Amino acid sequence: TEANREQAQDLFAQAQELDYIVPRIKPEYVEALQEVAVEMGISLVDVQDDIPVDDRDYFVDYCHPIEPANLLIAEGIGEVIASF
C-alpha cells in the first residue's frame, strides 16, 4: 500500500542517516548545498532521486560513478546549459 511505501521510505531515510560506514551525501548536506546554490544564484545538478537504492549499476564503489550515473549527471548539466 501507499502507507507502507511511505513508511519504508521514512525508515530507509533514518537508516541512511545512521550509516557512517559508507560515505554518502547525507540529506542535511544536500539541503546545505541547495541553500548555497540559491544564495549564490548558481545551478545545482542533483541526480540522487534518479538513482535507485540498489546503485551497484551506477557506481564502481560507494562514490565513483560509472556510465549510467555519468549520463544522468551529463544530462543535468546539459539542461542547465540549455536553459541559458
Side-chain angles (χ1 to χ4, degrees):
T1 68
E2 184 61 28
N4 288 342
R5 178 183 165 94
E6 288 177 15
Q7 182 182 19
Q9 287 175 325
D10 289 342
L11 290 171
F12 176 74
Q14 291 173 20
Q16 187 179 28
E17 274 301 303
L18 297 173
D19 184 359
Y20 294 101
I21 304 300
V22 177
R24 54 184 70 163
I25 300 177
K26 304 290 185 205
E28 63 265 15
Y29 297 146
V30 172
E31 187 176 316
L33 288 170
Q34 292 168 338
E35 289 175 11
V36 169
V38 169
E39 288 174 17
M40 301 294 293
I42 58 175
S43 300
L44 176 68
V45 175
D46 181 359
V47 298
Q48 290 191 107
D49 291 342
D50 298 324
I51 296 175
V53 173
D54 181 0
D55 62 4
R56 290 177 285 183
D57 292 336
Y58 290 78
F59 296 92
V60 172
D61 51 20
Y62 59 85
C63 68
H64 295 96
I66 54 178
E67 186 176 351
N70 286 328
L71 182 59
L72 289 172
I73 295 165
E75 288 172 348
I77 293 169
E79 289 173 12
V80 169
I81 293 170
S83 71
F84 288 105

Coordinates of all heavy atoms in Angstrom, one line a residue:
T1 N 0.8 -1.2 0.0 CA 0.0 0.0 0.0 C 0.9 1.3 0.0 O 2.1 1.2 0.3 CB -0.9 0.0 1.2 OG1 -0.1 0.2 2.4 CG2 -1.8 -1.2 1.3
E2 N 0.3 2.4 -0.3 CA 1.0 3.6 -0.3 C 1.5 4.0 1.1 O 2.6 4.5 1.2 CB 0.1 4.8 -0.8 CG 0.8 6.1 -1.0 CD 2.0 6.1 -1.9 OE1 2.0 5.3 -2.9 OE2 2.9 6.9 -1.8
A3 N 0.8 3.7 2.1 CA 1.2 3.9 3.5 C 2.4 3.1 3.8 O 3.4 3.6 4.5 CB 0.1 3.7 4.5
N4 N 2.5 1.9 3.4 CA 3.6 1.0 3.7 C 4.8 1.5 2.9 O 6.0 1.5 3.4 CB 3.4 -0.4 3.2 CG 2.4 -1.1 4.2 OD1 2.2 -0.7 5.3 ND2 1.8 -2.2 3.7
R5 N 4.6 2.0 1.7 CA 5.7 2.5 0.9 C 6.3 3.8 1.6 O 7.5 3.9 1.7 CB 5.2 2.9 -0.5 CG 6.2 3.5 -1.4 CD 5.6 3.8 -2.8 NE 6.4 4.7 -3.5 CZ 7.3 4.3 -4.4 NH1 7.5 3.1 -4.7 NH2 8.0 5.2 -5.1
E6 N 5.5 4.7 2.0 CA 5.9 5.9 2.7 C 6.7 5.5 4.0 O 7.7 6.1 4.3 CB 4.8 6.8 3.0 CG 4.2 7.5 1.8 CD 3.0 8.3 2.0 OE1 2.7 8.7 3.2 OE2 2.3 8.7 1.1
Q7 N 6.2 4.6 4.7 CA 6.8 4.1 6.0 C 8.2 3.5 5.7 O 9.2 3.8 6.3 CB 6.0 3.1 6.7 CG 6.6 2.7 8.0 CD 5.8 1.6 8.8 OE1 5.0 1.0 8.2 NE2 6.1 1.5 10.1
A8 N 8.3 2.7 4.6 CA 9.5 2.1 4.2 C 10.5 3.2 3.8 O 11.7 3.1 4.1 CB 9.3 1.1 3.1
Q9 N 10.1 4.2 3.1 CA 11.0 5.3 2.7 C 11.4 6.1 3.9 O 12.6 6.5 3.9 CB 10.2 6.3 1.7 CG 10.0 5.6 0.3 CD 9.2 6.5 -0.6 OE1 8.3 7.2 -0.2 NE2 9.6 6.5 -1.9
D10 N 10.6 6.3 4.9 CA 11.0 7.0 6.1 C 12.0 6.2 6.8 O 13.0 6.7 7.3 CB 9.8 7.3 7.0 CG 8.8 8.3 6.4 OD1 9.3 9.1 5.5 OD2 7.7 8.4 6.9
L11 N 11.8 4.9 7.0 CA 12.7 4.0 7.7 C 14.1 4.0 6.9 O 15.1 4.0 7.6 CB 12.2 2.6 7.8 CG 11.0 2.5 8.8 CD1 10.4 1.1 8.8 CD2 11.4 2.8 10.2
F12 N 14.0 4.0 5.6 CA 15.3 4.0 4.8 C 16.0 5.3 5.1 O 17.2 5.3 5.3 CB 15.0 3.8 3.3 CG 16.2 3.9 2.5 CD1 17.1 2.8 2.5 CD2 16.5 5.0 1.7 CE1 18.3 2.9 1.7 CE2 17.6 5.1 1.0 CZ 18.5 4.0 1.0
A13 N 15.3 6.4 5.1 CA 16.0 7.7 5.3 C 16.6 7.7 6.7 O 17.7 8.2 6.9 CB 15.0 8.8 5.1
Q14 N 15.9 7.1 7.7 CA 16.5 7.1 9.0 C 17.8 6.2 9.1 O 18.7 6.6 9.7 CB 15.5 6.5 10.0 CG 14.3 7.5 10.3 CD 13.2 6.8 11.1 OE1 13.5 5.8 11.8 NE2 12.0 7.4 11.0
A15 N 17.7 5.1 8.4 CA 18.9 4.2 8.4 C 20.0 4.9 7.6 O 21.2 4.7 8.0 CB 18.5 2.9 7.7
Q16 N 19.7 5.6 6.6 CA 20.8 6.3 5.8 C 21.4 7.3 6.7 O 22.7 7.5 6.6 CB 20.1 7.0 4.6 CG 21.1 7.6 3.7 CD 20.5 8.2 2.5 OE1 19.3 8.6 2.5 NE2 21.2 8.3 1.4
E17 N 20.7 8.0 7.5 CA 21.3 9.0 8.4 C 22.2 8.4 9.4 O 23.2 9.0 9.9 CB 20.2 9.7 9.2 CG 19.6 10.9 8.5 CD 20.6 11.9 8.2 OE1 21.3 12.4 9.1 OE2 20.8 12.2 7.0
L18 N 21.9 7.1 9.8 CA 22.8 6.4 10.8 C 24.0 5.7 10.2 O 24.8 5.2 10.9 CB 21.9 5.5 11.6 CG 20.8 6.1 12.4 CD1 19.9 5.0 13.0 CD2 21.4 7.0 13.5
D19 N 24.0 5.6 8.9 CA 25.1 4.9 8.2 C 26.3 5.7 8.1 O 26.4 6.6 7.3 CB 24.6 4.5 6.8 CG 25.6 3.7 6.0 OD1 26.6 3.3 6.6 OD2 25.3 3.3 4.9
Y20 N 27.3 5.4 9.0 CA 28.6 6.1 9.0 C 29.7 5.2 8.4 O 30.8 5.7 8.3 CB 28.9 6.5 10.4 CG 28.0 7.6 10.9 CD1 27.0 7.2 11.8 CD2 28.1 8.9 10.5 CE1 26.1 8.2 12.2 CE2 27.2 9.8 10.9 CZ 26.2 9.5 11.8 OH 25.3 10.4 12.2
I21 N 29.4 4.0 7.9 CA 30.3 3.1 7.4 C 30.6 3.5 5.9 O 31.8 3.7 5.5 CB 29.9 1.7 7.4 CG1 29.6 1.3 8.9 CG2 30.9 0.7 6.8 CD1 30.7 1.4 9.8
V22 N 29.6 3.7 5.1 CA 29.7 4.0 3.7 C 29.5 5.5 3.5 O 28.4 6.0 3.8 CB 28.7 3.2 2.9 CG1 28.8 3.6 1.4 CG2 28.9 1.7 3.0
P23 N 30.5 6.2 3.1 CA 30.3 7.7 2.9 C 29.3 7.9 1.8 O 29.3 7.3 0.7 CB 31.7 8.1 2.4 CG 32.7 7.0 2.7 CD 31.9 5.8 2.7
R24 N 28.3 8.7 2.1 CA 27.3 9.2 1.1 C 26.9 10.6 1.5 O 27.1 11.0 2.7 CB 26.2 8.2 1.0 CG 25.5 7.9 2.3 CD 24.5 6.8 2.1 NE 25.1 5.6 1.8 CZ 24.5 4.4 1.9 NH1 23.3 4.3 2.3 NH2 25.2 3.3 1.7
I25 N 26.3 11.2 0.6 CA 25.8 12.6 0.9 C 24.5 12.5 1.8 O 23.5 12.0 1.3 CB 25.6 13.4 -0.4 CG1 26.8 13.5 -1.2 CG2 25.0 14.8 0.0 CD1 26.7 14.2 -2.5
K26 N 24.6 13.0 3.0 CA 23.5 13.0 3.9 C 22.5 14.1 3.5 O 22.9 15.1 2.9 CB 24.0 13.3 5.3 CG 25.1 12.3 5.8 CD 24.5 10.9 6.0 CE 25.6 10.1 6.6 NZ 25.4 8.7 6.4
P27 N 21.2 13.8 3.8 CA 20.2 14.8 3.4 C 20.5 16.2 3.9 O 20.2 17.2 3.2 CB 18.9 14.2 4.1 CG 19.2 12.7 4.1 CD 20.6 12.6 4.4
E28 N 21.0 16.4 5.1 CA 21.3 17.7 5.6 C 22.4 18.4 4.8 O 22.4 19.6 4.6 CB 21.6 17.8 7.1 CG 22.9 17.1 7.5 CD 22.7 15.6 7.9 OE1 21.6 15.1 7.7 OE2 23.6 15.1 8.5
Y29 N 23.3 17.6 4.2 CA 24.3 18.2 3.4 C 23.7 18.6 2.0 O 24.1 19.7 1.4 CB 25.5 17.3 3.2 CG 26.2 16.9 4.4 CD1 26.8 15.7 4.6 CD2 26.4 17.9 5.4 CE1 27.5 15.3 5.8 CE2 27.1 17.6 6.6 CZ 27.6 16.3 6.8 OH 28.3 16.0 7.9
V30 N 22.8 17.8 1.5 CA 22.2 18.1 0.2 C 21.4 19.4 0.4 O 21.4 20.3 -0.4 CB 21.2 17.0 -0.2 CG1 20.4 17.4 -1.4 CG2 22.0 15.8 -0.6
E31 N 20.7 19.5 1.6 CA 20.0 20.8 1.9 C 20.9 22.0 1.9 O 20.6 23.0 1.4 CB 19.2 20.6 3.2 CG 18.3 21.7 3.5 CD 17.5 21.5 4.8 OE1 17.0 20.3 5.0 OE2 17.4 22.4 5.6
A32 N 22.0 21.8 2.6 CA 23.0 22.9 2.7 C 23.5 23.3 1.3 O 23.6 24.5 1.0 CB 24.2 22.5 3.6
L33 N 23.8 22.3 0.4 CA 24.2 22.6 -0.9 C 23.2 23.4 -1.7 O 23.5 24.3 -2.4 CB 24.6 21.3 -1.7 CG 25.8 20.6 -1.3 CD1 25.9 19.2 -1.9 CD2 27.0 21.4 -1.6
Q34 N 21.9 23.0 -1.5 CA 20.8 23.7 -2.2 C 20.7 25.1 -1.7 O 20.5 26.0 -2.5 CB 19.5 22.9 -2.0 CG 19.5 21.6 -2.7 CD 18.3 20.7 -2.2 OE1 17.8 20.8 -1.1 NE2 18.0 19.7 -3.1
E35 N 20.8 25.3 -0.4 CA 20.8 26.7 0.1 C 21.9 27.5 -0.4 O 21.7 28.7 -0.8 CB 20.8 26.6 1.7 CG 19.6 26.1 2.3 CD 19.7 25.9 3.8 OE1 20.7 26.4 4.4 OE2 18.8 25.3 4.4
V36 N 23.1 27.0 -0.5 CA 24.2 27.8 -1.0 C 24.0 28.1 -2.5 O 24.3 29.2 -2.9 CB 25.6 27.0 -0.8 CG1 26.7 27.6 -1.6 CG2 25.9 26.9 0.7
A37 N 23.5 27.1 -3.2 CA 23.2 27.4 -4.6 C 22.2 28.5 -4.8 O 22.4 29.4 -5.7 CB 22.7 26.1 -5.3
V38 N 21.2 28.5 -4.0 CA 20.2 29.6 -4.1 C 20.8 30.9 -3.7 O 20.6 31.9 -4.4 CB 19.0 29.2 -3.2 CG1 18.1 30.5 -3.0 CG2 18.2 28.1 -3.7
E39 N 21.6 30.9 -2.6 CA 22.2 32.2 -2.1 C 23.2 32.7 -3.1 O 23.2 33.9 -3.3 CB 22.9 31.9 -0.8 CG 22.0 31.7 0.4 CD 22.8 31.4 1.6 OE1 24.0 31.6 1.7 OE2 22.1 30.9 2.6
M40 N 23.9 31.9 -3.8 CA 24.9 32.3 -4.8 C 24.3 32.5 -6.2 O 25.0 33.0 -7.1 CB 26.0 31.2 -4.9 CG 26.8 31.0 -3.5 SD 27.7 32.4 -3.0 CE 29.0 32.5 -4.2
G41 N 23.1 32.1 -6.4 CA 22.5 32.2 -7.7 C 23.1 31.3 -8.7 O 23.2 31.7 -9.9
I42 N 23.4 30.1 -8.3 CA 24.0 29.2 -9.2 C 23.2 27.9 -9.3 O 22.4 27.6 -8.4 CB 25.5 28.8 -8.8 CG1 25.5 28.2 -7.4 CG2 26.4 30.0 -8.9 CD1 26.9 27.7 -7.0
S43 N 23.4 27.2 -10.4 CA 22.6 25.9 -10.6 C 23.3 24.8 -9.8 O 24.5 24.7 -9.7 CB 22.6 25.6 -12.1 OG 21.9 26.6 -12.8
L44 N 22.4 23.9 -9.4 CA 22.9 22.7 -8.7 C 22.3 21.5 -9.4 O 21.1 21.4 -9.5 CB 22.5 22.7 -7.2 CG 22.8 21.4 -6.4 CD1 24.3 21.3 -6.2 CD2 22.1 21.5 -5.1
V45 N 23.1 20.6 -9.9 CA 22.7 19.4 -10.6 C 22.6 18.3 -9.5 O 23.6 17.9 -8.9 CB 23.6 19.0 -11.7 CG1 23.2 17.7 -12.3 CG2 23.6 20.1 -12.8
D46 N 21.4 17.8 -9.3 CA 21.2 16.8 -8.2 C 20.5 15.6 -8.9 O 19.3 15.7 -9.3 CB 20.3 17.4 -7.1 CG 20.1 16.4 -6.0 OD1 20.5 15.2 -6.1 OD2 19.4 16.8 -5.0
V47 N 21.1 14.5 -9.0 CA 20.6 13.3 -9.7 C 20.3 12.2 -8.7 O 19.9 11.1 -9.1 CB 21.5 12.8 -10.8 CG1 21.6 13.8 -11.9 CG2 22.8 12.4 -10.3
Q48 N 20.4 12.5 -7.4 CA 20.2 11.4 -6.4 C 18.9 10.7 -6.5 O 18.8 9.5 -6.3 CB 20.4 12.0 -5.0 CG 21.8 12.4 -4.7 CD 21.9 12.7 -3.2 OE1 22.5 11.9 -2.5 NE2 21.4 13.8 -2.7
D49 N 17.8 11.4 -6.8 CA 16.5 10.8 -6.9 C 16.3 10.0 -8.1 O 15.4 9.2 -8.2 CB 15.4 11.9 -6.8 CG 15.3 12.6 -5.5 OD1 15.8 12.1 -4.5 OD2 14.7 13.7 -5.5
D50 N 17.2 10.1 -9.0 CA 17.1 9.3 -10.3 C 17.9 8.0 -10.2 O 17.9 7.2 -11.1 CB 17.7 10.1 -11.5 CG 16.9 11.3 -11.7 OD1 15.6 11.3 -11.5 OD2 17.4 12.4 -12.1
I51 N 18.7 7.8 -9.1 CA 19.5 6.6 -8.9 C 18.8 5.7 -7.9 O 18.4 6.1 -6.8 CB 20.9 7.0 -8.4 CG1 21.6 7.8 -9.5 CG2 21.7 5.8 -8.0 CD1 22.9 8.4 -9.1
P52 N 18.6 4.4 -8.3 CA 17.9 3.5 -7.4 C 18.6 3.2 -6.1 O 19.8 3.5 -6.0 CB 17.7 2.3 -8.2 CG 18.8 2.3 -9.2 CD 19.0 3.8 -9.5
V53 N 17.9 2.7 -5.1 CA 18.5 2.4 -3.8 C 19.7 1.4 -4.1 O 20.8 1.5 -3.5 CB 17.5 1.8 -2.8 CG1 18.2 1.2 -1.6 CG2 16.5 2.8 -2.5
D54 N 19.4 0.4 -4.9 CA 20.5 -0.6 -5.3 C 21.2 0.1 -6.4 O 20.9 -0.1 -7.6 CB 19.9 -1.9 -5.7 CG 20.9 -2.9 -6.1 OD1 22.1 -2.6 -6.0 OD2 20.6 -4.1 -6.5
D55 N 22.3 0.8 -6.0 CA 23.0 1.6 -7.0 C 24.3 1.0 -7.6 O 25.1 1.6 -8.2 CB 23.4 3.0 -6.4 CG 24.3 2.8 -5.2 OD1 24.7 1.7 -4.9 OD2 24.6 3.9 -4.6
R56 N 24.4 -0.4 -7.5 CA 25.6 -1.1 -8.0 C 25.8 -0.9 -9.5 O 27.0 -0.9 -9.9 CB 25.5 -2.5 -7.7 CG 25.6 -2.8 -6.2 CD 25.5 -4.3 -5.9 NE 24.0 -4.6 -6.0 CZ 23.5 -5.8 -5.8 NH1 24.3 -6.8 -5.5 NH2 22.2 -6.0 -5.9
D57 N 24.8 -0.6 -10.2 CA 24.9 -0.4 -11.7 C 25.3 1.1 -12.0 O 25.5 1.4 -13.2 CB 23.6 -0.7 -12.4 CG 23.3 -2.2 -12.4 OD1 24.3 -3.0 -12.2 OD2 22.2 -2.6 -12.6
Y58 N 25.4 1.9 -11.0 CA 25.7 3.3 -11.1 C 27.1 3.8 -10.6 O 27.5 4.8 -10.9 CB 24.6 4.2 -10.5 CG 23.3 4.1 -11.2 CD1 22.5 3.0 -11.1 CD2 22.9 5.1 -12.1 CE1 21.3 2.9 -11.8 CE2 21.7 5.0 -12.8 CZ 20.9 3.9 -12.6 OH 19.7 3.8 -13.3
F59 N 27.7 2.9 -9.7 CA 28.9 3.3 -9.1 C 29.9 2.1 -9.1 O 29.5 1.0 -8.9 CB 28.7 3.8 -7.7 CG 27.9 5.1 -7.6 CD1 26.5 5.0 -7.5 CD2 28.5 6.3 -7.7 CE1 25.7 6.1 -7.4 CE2 27.7 7.4 -7.7 CZ 26.4 7.4 -7.5
V60 N 31.2 2.5 -9.3 CA 32.3 1.4 -9.2 C 32.3 1.0 -7.7 O 32.5 -0.2 -7.4 CB 33.6 2.0 -9.6 CG1 34.7 1.1 -9.3 CG2 33.6 2.4 -11.1
D61 N 32.3 1.9 -6.8 CA 32.3 1.7 -5.4 C 31.3 2.6 -4.7 O 30.2 2.8 -5.3 CB 33.7 1.9 -4.8 CG 34.2 3.3 -5.2 OD1 33.4 4.2 -5.6 OD2 35.5 3.5 -5.2
Y62 N 31.5 3.0 -3.6 CA 30.5 3.8 -2.9 C 30.3 5.2 -3.4 O 29.3 5.8 -3.1 CB 30.8 3.9 -1.4 CG 32.1 4.5 -1.1 CD1 32.3 5.9 -1.0 CD2 33.3 3.7 -0.9 CE1 33.5 6.4 -0.7 CE2 34.5 4.3 -0.7 CZ 34.6 5.6 -0.6 OH 35.8 6.2 -0.3
C63 N 31.2 5.7 -4.2 CA 31.1 7.1 -4.6 C 31.5 7.4 -6.1 O 31.3 8.5 -6.5 CB 31.7 8.1 -3.6 SG 33.5 7.9 -3.6
H64 N 32.2 6.6 -6.7 CA 32.8 6.9 -8.0 C 31.8 6.4 -9.1 O 31.6 5.2 -9.3 CB 34.2 6.3 -8.2 CG 35.1 6.8 -7.3 ND1 35.5 6.3 -6.1 CD2 35.9 8.0 -7.3 CE1 36.3 7.0 -5.4 NE2 36.6 8.1 -6.2
P65 N 31.2 7.4 -9.8 CA 30.2 7.0 -10.8 C 30.7 6.3 -12.1 O 31.9 6.5 -12.4 CB 29.5 8.3 -11.2 CG 30.6 9.4 -10.9 CD 31.4 8.8 -9.7
I66 N 29.9 5.5 -12.7 CA 30.2 4.9 -13.9 C 29.1 5.3 -14.9 O 28.3 6.2 -14.6 CB 30.3 3.3 -13.8 CG1 29.0 2.7 -13.2 CG2 31.5 2.9 -13.0 CD1 29.0 1.2 -13.1
E67 N 29.1 4.8 -16.1 CA 28.4 5.3 -17.3 C 26.9 5.7 -16.9 O 26.5 6.8 -17.3 CB 28.4 4.3 -18.4 CG 27.7 4.9 -19.7 CD 27.8 4.0 -20.9 OE1 28.5 2.9 -20.8 OE2 27.2 4.3 -21.9
P68 N 26.1 4.9 -16.3 CA 24.7 5.3 -16.1 C 24.6 6.6 -15.2 O 23.8 7.5 -15.5 CB 24.1 4.1 -15.4 CG 24.9 3.0 -15.8 CD 26.3 3.5 -15.9
A69 N 25.4 6.7 -14.2 CA 25.4 7.8 -13.3 C 26.0 9.0 -14.0 O 25.5 10.2 -14.0 CB 26.2 7.6 -12.0
N70 N 27.1 8.8 -14.8 CA 27.7 9.9 -15.5 C 26.7 10.5 -16.6 O 26.7 11.7 -16.8 CB 29.0 9.4 -16.2 CG 30.1 9.3 -15.2 OD1 30.2 10.0 -14.2 ND2 31.0 8.3 -15.5
L71 N 25.9 9.6 -17.2 CA 24.9 10.0 -18.1 C 23.9 10.9 -17.5 O 23.5 12.0 -18.0 CB 24.3 8.8 -18.8 CG 23.2 9.1 -19.9 CD1 23.8 10.0 -21.0 CD2 22.6 7.8 -20.4
L72 N 23.4 10.5 -16.3 CA 22.4 11.4 -15.6 C 23.0 12.7 -15.2 O 22.4 13.8 -15.4 CB 22.0 10.7 -14.3 CG 21.1 9.5 -14.4 CD1 21.0 8.8 -13.0 CD2 19.8 9.8 -15.0
I73 N 24.3 12.7 -14.8 CA 25.0 14.0 -14.4 C 25.1 14.9 -15.7 O 24.8 16.1 -15.7 CB 26.3 13.7 -13.8 CG1 26.1 13.0 -12.4 CG2 27.1 15.0 -13.6 CD1 27.4 12.3 -11.9
A74 N 25.6 14.3 -16.8 CA 25.8 15.0 -18.0 C 24.4 15.6 -18.5 O 24.4 16.7 -19.0 CB 26.4 14.1 -19.1
E75 N 23.4 14.8 -18.4 CA 22.1 15.3 -18.9 C 21.6 16.5 -18.0 O 21.1 17.5 -18.5 CB 21.0 14.2 -18.8 CG 21.2 13.2 -19.9 CD 20.3 12.0 -19.8 OE1 19.7 11.8 -18.7 OE2 20.2 11.2 -20.7
G76 N 21.9 16.4 -16.7 CA 21.6 17.5 -15.8 C 22.3 18.8 -16.1 O 21.8 19.9 -16.2
I77 N 23.6 18.6 -16.4 CA 24.5 19.7 -16.8 C 24.0 20.3 -18.1 O 23.9 21.5 -18.3 CB 25.9 19.3 -16.9 CG1 26.5 19.0 -15.5 CG2 26.8 20.4 -17.5 CD1 27.8 18.3 -15.4
G78 N 23.6 19.4 -19.1 CA 23.1 19.9 -20.4 C 21.8 20.7 -20.2 O 21.6 21.7 -20.9
E79 N 21.0 20.3 -19.3 CA 19.7 21.0 -19.1 C 20.0 22.4 -18.5 O 19.4 23.4 -18.9 CB 18.8 20.3 -18.1 CG 18.2 19.0 -18.7 CD 17.4 18.2 -17.7 OE1 17.2 18.6 -16.6 OE2 17.1 17.0 -18.0
V80 N 21.0 22.5 -17.6 CA 21.4 23.8 -17.1 C 21.9 24.7 -18.2 O 21.5 25.9 -18.3 CB 22.4 23.7 -15.9 CG1 23.0 25.0 -15.5 CG2 21.8 23.0 -14.7
I81 N 22.8 24.2 -19.0 CA 23.4 24.9 -20.1 C 22.3 25.4 -21.1 O 22.3 26.5 -21.5 CB 24.5 24.1 -20.8 CG1 25.7 23.9 -19.8 CG2 25.0 24.8 -22.1 CD1 26.7 23.0 -20.3
A82 N 21.4 24.5 -21.4 CA 20.4 24.8 -22.4 C 19.4 25.9 -21.9 O 18.8 26.5 -22.7 CB 19.6 23.5 -22.8
S83 N 19.3 26.0 -20.6 CA 18.4 27.0 -20.0 C 18.9 28.4 -20.1 O 18.1 29.4 -19.8 CB 18.1 26.6 -18.5 OG 19.2 26.9 -17.7
F84 N 20.1 28.6 -20.5 CA 20.7 30.0 -20.7 C 20.4 30.6 -22.0 O 20.3 30.1 -23.0 CB 22.2 30.0 -20.3 CG 22.5 29.8 -18.9 CD1 23.0 28.6 -18.4 CD2 22.2 30.8 -18.0 CE1 23.3 28.4 -17.1 CE2 22.5 30.7 -16.6 CZ 23.0 29.5 -16.2

